[in-house]
Amino acid sequence: MQFFDRLLLENRAWADDMKASDPEVFQRLHQGQSPAALWIGCCDSRVPAEQICNAKPGELFIHRNIANLVHEDDANVSSVLEYAINALEVDHIIVCGHRGCGGIQAAVSGGDALQALPYVDRHLGQVKRLVAEHHVALEQFSQLSQKVDHVVELNVIAQVERLAEMRLVTDSWQARRAPSLHGWVYDLASGHLDEVCRREVEGSGSESAEPDWQRAAAG
Ligand SMILES: [Zn+2]
């Protein structure tokens, strides 16, 4: 059987299983969506957002790109953010990176690693700048994989910081004190997710929308 035939066949099996455990599920999903969170993750095939946290259809609004980046000038991610924050009114935005990320590794390796991939090269510009900023700190790591995993964390924190400065987010904080921002890293070797940072509007019912950094223990 061809791979794509298997996928089509598996779809019917999945739909049957879903209905067997919850007969109304598709009628309910057909009515509309009200996801609690926007997930911004990497495209990597080994990091399927819903599966790794057992989320059901309708619970996560998802955007994925190489190395889970937020670009202000990227209409794709900006439109997803706008729709998630202003139309769906999600309460949380999760930025999820992962150890061993190929996009981050390409940016860390530098040189001509991206010469044959000009679109990817341009997309990863902000990661290359992040690597340059932390060049001295990265020298403490002898292994490339250690450098990559450190930049994976720095990159997640940078994306959460970038989100916290975006007008879409700060206006929403003023209007409805949400969404809170979460930085997570997924470990391919263990299947575990860990929190790297969190940022949310401080207090409740206050006029001030000053955000409060909550830097969780990074592991
Ligand atoms: Zn990746």
Side-chain angles (χ1 to χ4, degrees):
M1 185 185 290
Q2 300 260 30
F3 177 68
F4 53 86
D5 285 328
R6 198 196 89 202
L7 296 185
L8 290 168
L9 205 60
E10 288 288 358
N11 161 258
R12 292 297 188 274
W14 169 82
D16 289 347
D17 285 350
M18 290 282 287
K19 276 179 80 170
S21 60
D22 181 357
E24 311 294 319
V25 61
F26 292 114
Q27 282 160 268
R28 211 166 50 244
L29 290 170
H30 182 64
Q31 301 299 316
Q33 62 170 333
S34 184
L38 163 64
W39 174 284
I40 300 174
C42 181
C43 293
D44 195 300
S45 61
R46 300 164 296 176
V47 195
E50 287 103 334
Q51 276 131 306
I52 62 174
C53 44
N54 261 344
K56 297 181 178 67
E59 289 188 313
L60 293 176
F61 194 65
I62 293 178
H63 173 86
R64 289 169 69 176
N65 65 53
I66 292 175
N68 40 273
L69 302 180
V70 177
H71 287 279
E72 279 104 326
D73 57 353
D74 175 348
N76 190 347
V77 71
S78 298
S79 60
V80 168
L81 279 165
E82 183 178 60
Y83 193 75
I85 294 170
N86 293 340
L88 298 171
E89 298 193 332
V90 297
D91 290 327
H92 307 277
I93 299 176
I94 298 159
V95 177
C96 183
H98 66 99
R99 304 204 189 286
C101 181
I104 300 292
Q105 181 167 328
V108 171
S109 300
D112 55 7
L114 293 166
Q115 211 168 27
L117 303 168
Y119 290 111
V120 179
D121 188 32
R122 198 172 69 175
H123 174 72
L124 292 174
Q126 59 163 296
V127 185
K128 289 194 281 187
R129 288 191 291 278
L130 189 67
V131 170
E133 279 168 34
H134 292 269
H135 179 69
V136 174
L138 287 173
E139 281 174 5
Q140 69 179 296
F141 302 107
S142 56
Q143 305 283 325
L144 175 62
S145 63
Q146 294 172 314
K147 292 183 190 189
V148 170
D149 289 349
H150 186 63
V151 176
V152 163
E153 285 194 14
L154 293 175
N155 181 55
V156 164
I157 293 166
Q159 304 316 311
V160 169
E161 285 177 349
R162 180 166 290 127
L163 283 170
E165 287 167 6
M166 287 181 80
R167 194 66 191 274
L168 276 167
V169 172
T170 55
D171 282 355
S172 183
W173 280 350
Q174 291 287 349
R176 63 182 183 92
R177 310 194 62 73
S180 56
L181 310 176
H182 307 260
W184 293 356
V185 169
Y186 178 72
D187 185 354
L188 291 167
S190 68
H192 291 178
L193 277 169
D194 288 304
E195 183 178 60
V196 175
C197 62
R198 187 190 307 176
R199 191 164 184 176
E200 50 200 340
V201 182
E202 197 174 31
S204 59
S206 160
E207 287 296 307
S208 166
E210 274 301 304
D212 174 40
W213 260 115
Q214 292 189 7
R215 178 79 162 84

